[in-house]
């Protein structure tokens, strides 16, 4: 079980609110979201039969090397697979702590393309 200080929320994210910058920021090599994303991949085990496309927006607040707050947001109403995958993404983020080199709020996308590209590295 996660400690009680960690908060995990699901939310629907209205597509018009999401700027293209949030999606591309995960590609920036020095971006803190990229650090969390790459570290999360080491622990991430998604359910089988992934759909051809999925897109989660993750907001994580890193404090003292650990995820103090996590929000997994959907751009569209989530499929059953996405509902199953979201807590696994959150678990992977908390299991792959510590994030010693970063602090504060980070945002990044988790898409099939990024997961497949990242898992090859």
């Amino acid at each position: 079980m996660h400690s009680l200080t960690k908060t995990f929320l699901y939310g629907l994210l209205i597509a018009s609110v999401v700027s293209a910058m949030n999606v591309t920021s995960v590609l920036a090599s020095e971006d803190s979201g990229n650090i969390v994303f790459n570290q999360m991949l080491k622990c991430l085990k998604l359910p089988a039969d992934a759909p051809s496309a999925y897109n989660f927006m993750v907001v994580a607040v890193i404090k003292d090397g650990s995820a103090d707050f996590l929000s997994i947001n959907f751009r569209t109403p989530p499929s059953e697979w996405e509902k199953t995958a979201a807590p696994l993404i959150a678990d992977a983020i908390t299991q792959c702590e510590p994030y010693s080199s970063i602090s504060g709020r980070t945002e990044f996308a988790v898409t099939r393309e990024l997961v497949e590209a990242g898992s090859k590295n």
Side-chain angles (χ1 to χ4, degrees):
M1 289 299 289
H2 301 305
S3 68
L4 296 176
T5 59
K6 297 192 186 205
T7 307
F8 178 59
L9 300 174
Y10 288 108
L12 289 176
L13 199 60
I14 300 169
S16 62
V17 174
V18 178
S19 69
M21 192 177 89
N22 288 341
V23 176
T24 56
S25 70
V26 75
L27 302 174
S29 63
E30 297 301 318
D31 183 64
S32 58
N34 196 35
I35 294 168
V36 176
F37 177 83
N38 286 329
Q39 199 154 325
M40 170 204 72
L41 280 181
K42 296 173 188 173
C43 299
L44 185 62
K45 293 185 177 38
L46 290 173
D49 303 322
S52 60
Y54 55 85
N55 194 339
F56 300 96
M57 275 307 297
V58 177
V59 177
V61 177
I62 308 299
K63 182 178 174 187
D64 299 326
S66 65
D68 193 51
F69 171 85
L70 279 177
S71 176
I72 311 290
N73 301 300
F74 303 99
R75 295 173 189 268
T76 57
S79 67
E80 288 305 310
W81 185 90
E82 289 171 317
K83 288 178 189 175
T84 303
L88 298 174
I89 292 169
D91 287 347
I93 291 169
T94 58
Q95 287 168 8
C96 275
E97 296 168 352
Y99 300 101
S100 52
S101 63
I102 58 173
S103 182
R105 185 177 191 271
T106 65
E107 287 184 42
F108 57 93
V110 177
T111 65
R112 184 177 184 128
E113 295 78 15
L114 291 171
V115 168
E116 287 176 354
S119 61
K120 291 176 183 163
N121 292 341

